[in-house]
Amino acid sequence: MIIGIDLGTTNSLAATWRNGESMLIPNAIGQVLTPSVVSLDERGDLLVGQAARERLSTHPQRTASVFKRYMGTNRALTLGERDFRPEELSALVLRSLKADAEAMLDEPVTEAVITVPAYFNDLQRKATQNAGKLAGFEVRRLLTEPTAAALAYSIGLGADEHYVMVVDLGGGTFDVSLLHCFEGVMEVRATAGDTFLGGENFDDVIIAAFMEEAGSAAGIPPIGQWAPVHGALRRQAELAKRRLSDADVAELALVYQDRPLTWSMSREKFEHLSEPVLARVRLPIERALHDAKIDPATLSQVILAGGATRMPMMRRMIGRLFRRMPMSHINPDEVVARGAAVSAGLIARSAGLEEVVMTDVAPFTLGISVSHKGEDGVRTSGLFMPIIERNTVIPASRVKVVTTIEDNQTSLNLEVFQGEAPLVKDNIKLGTMKLRLPPAREGEVGVGVRFTYDPSGLLEVEATVDKTGVTQRVVIEGNPGALSPQEVAERLEKLSALKLNPRDDAGNAALLSRAQRLFEQRLGRTRVLIGAALAEFLSAIDGQAPAQIRVAAEHLRKVLDSHDDESSF
Ligand code: AMP
C-alpha cells in the first residue's frame, strides 16, 4: 500500500487515493494535522505530534520542532540526554503517520510519496529520502510541494495548455513555482523561494511589538536569551496572528512571574508592521516570473498553499500582483497532502486517474570545480563550471568534458557543487571524488563528467576517463549533511530500539501534556481546579482501570476546555 505524505515544518499530513478521490488519514486523536514535533518524556519514551507540541512550552529542553529547517545538515538536536539528527526526528513523525495509516487502512503501508519544498537542495532531498527509509518506507517519489498542490486541483490533467503559479507559505518555508501544463504533462518551469521565510516570521512581528510595548517593561528577558516564557509567548503570538486573519483585533494573554499580562494588537497595525516581511514574499514571486520569462497576465491560475496564505494581506498582495484572486477552495493546509495522494494513486495506477506525465526542473545549477590556465601560464582555481543549469527540465542527463592542465597529471579531484555563484567557494559542496589518470601531456586526457537528475530531483554523478574508459560514480555521501547507506542502517537500528508512545495512549498523552501546559500558564483558582483534575487523572492512570481512566480523562478535558483559549490546537 502506498500513501502520500506532506512532511511539513509545522504540521504533517498523510493521505491516500481511494474511490477516485484523495482522503486524509486521521491520527490517533482523530486529527488530520499532526504537529511535526517530537518530545522525549522522563521515562525515555518518545511522544510525537499533539502531545509533543503541548510540551514545547513546559519541556523545551526535551522537545524539538521546526527541524525540517535543518534537513541536509548534521546539526544535532538534543532532547534530554539524547542527540538526534534532523532526518531522525522527521523519521519519527513519518513513523507515527505510517502507524496512523495502517490503523485506518487495516493493511501494511510500506511505500510513500513524500513532498519537499521545490527549493530543497540535493542534500535536503537526500535527507528526506533517508528519513523515509528510517521510518520503514520505500520512498517511491519525492514530489515538490507546489507540484502536489497543482495536482490536488487536478490542474495539468486536462488537454489545454496553460501556466499556473503556486504560492506556498507554510510555517517556516516559502516556495513559488511556475508550472506549465499541456496535454497531461505538467512541468515545473521555474522555482524560487526562501527556506527561512514563513508564518513564523509574522509571529516574530507580533512578538517584537509585544516586547517593545509590554514585555520588556514586565521584565521578560529579550528574545535572544533563553527563557521558558518565550515558548508560551510564541504560542500566544501565533494564535493572535491566526485570529487576525478573521478579526480586527486580537489579544495576547500571558502569565509571567505569577503576574497576568494582556496586550492587544489591531489588524491594521499588524499589517503595517509586517510590511518588510511581506516585501520578502514578493521577491521570489518576481524572480520566478522573470526566470520563466512569463508575464503575470498570461497565467491562468494562482493557487495558494500553506496555512499562512490565509492572512488577508497575503491574498490582497497576490491579487494585486497578478490582477486576479487566487484559487483557494481546497484547504491550504491540506492541498499538498491531497496532491501527494494523487501522485501515490498515479504510481499505484489506481482507477479514476488519467495518465499524467509529470516532470520537474532542477532547482539549482549543478556543476564542478575547475581550474583555468591562462595564456601567461597563471592558474586560477576554484571556478564553477555548470553542468546542469537551474530550471533544466528533469529527469535530465548532461555530460561535459574537462581536460588535464599539467603534464603527467595522475589524478583529478572532482568536486561537485550546487549554486549560482561563479566561484565554488560561494556555492554548496555536495561531494568529492578522486580519479586516477594515465600519464600523458597536458590537455591530452579528457574526463567526461555526467550529471543525471532523477525524477525526485536526486543527483547522480559519473566520470569516465577517455583514455582508459574507466567509469566511476561520485559518492555524494561524503558530506556531513547526508548519511551514507551504512549510517542509515546503523541509525535505523538505534531508532527502532526507541519506544514510541503507543497509539492507543495518544489521547491520554496529549491530554496530560495539555493539562501540564495549562497548569503552568494559569494562576489562582483555575490552577487549583486544573491541578485537582490532573491529580485525579494521574491516579486513575496509575490504577490502570480503563473505565476509571475514561471518567477521569473526560472530567479533565472538560476542565481544560473551559479554561483553554488555545483549543484550536
Ligand atoms: P503549514 O506549514 O502549511 O502547516 O503552515 C502553518 C503556518 O500557517 C503557521 O505559521 C500557522 O501559524 C499559519 N496559519 C495557519 N492558519 C492561519 C490563519 N488562519 N491565519 C494566519 N496564519 C495561519
Side-chain angles (χ1 to χ4, degrees), residues 10-11 170-171 199-200 238 241-242 245 306-308 310-311:
T10 326
N11 293 302
E200 279 168 27
E238 203 225 335
K241 175 190 69 179
R242 289 182 187 225
S245 290
R310 286 212 182 87
M311 287 185 291

Side-chain angles (χ1 to χ4, degrees), residues 322-374:
F322 296 103
R323 285 179 233 108
R324 76 162 56 79
M325 281 325 276
M327 266 172 97
S328 56
H329 61 264
I330 301 183
N331 184 335
D333 291 324
E334 299 172 357
V335 66
V336 170
R338 289 191 183 276
V342 176
S343 175
L346 285 167
I347 290 172
R349 300 192 170 273
S350 305
L353 275 173
E354 283 171 42
E355 185 62 24
V356 201
V357 184
M358 270 190 309
T359 63
D360 230 321
V361 291
F364 290 96
T365 301
L366 291 157
I368 54 171
S369 170
V370 289
S371 299
H372 176 73
K373 199 166 171 183

Side-chain angles (χ1 to χ4, degrees), residues 6 8-13 33 53 68 168-173 198-203 238-239 241-246 270 305-312 332-334 336 569:
D6 169 9
T9 312
T10 326
N11 293 302
S12 295
L13 298 89
L33 293 180
R53 183 178 181 145
K68 180 170 171 179
D168 182 349
L169 188 66
T173 51
E200 279 168 27
N201 297 73
F202 292 88
D203 303 344
E238 203 225 335
L239 267 179
K241 175 190 69 179
R242 289 182 187 225
R243 286 201 198 103
L244 286 173
S245 290
D246 299 312
F270 175 48
T309 56
R310 286 212 182 87
M311 287 185 291
D333 291 324
E334 299 172 357
V336 170
F569 291 112

Side-chain angles (χ1 to χ4, degrees), residues 155 160-165 178-181 187 189 292-295 298-302 324:
I155 287 169
D160 295 350
E161 176 175 357
H162 50 250
Y163 287 92
V164 178
M165 183 119 205
L178 194 92
L179 307 170
H180 182 202
C181 310
E187 184 177 291
R189 285 288 294 273
K293 301 183 185 66
I294 294 286
D295 174 356
T298 58
L299 287 178
S300 63
Q301 297 292 357
V302 179
R324 76 162 56 79

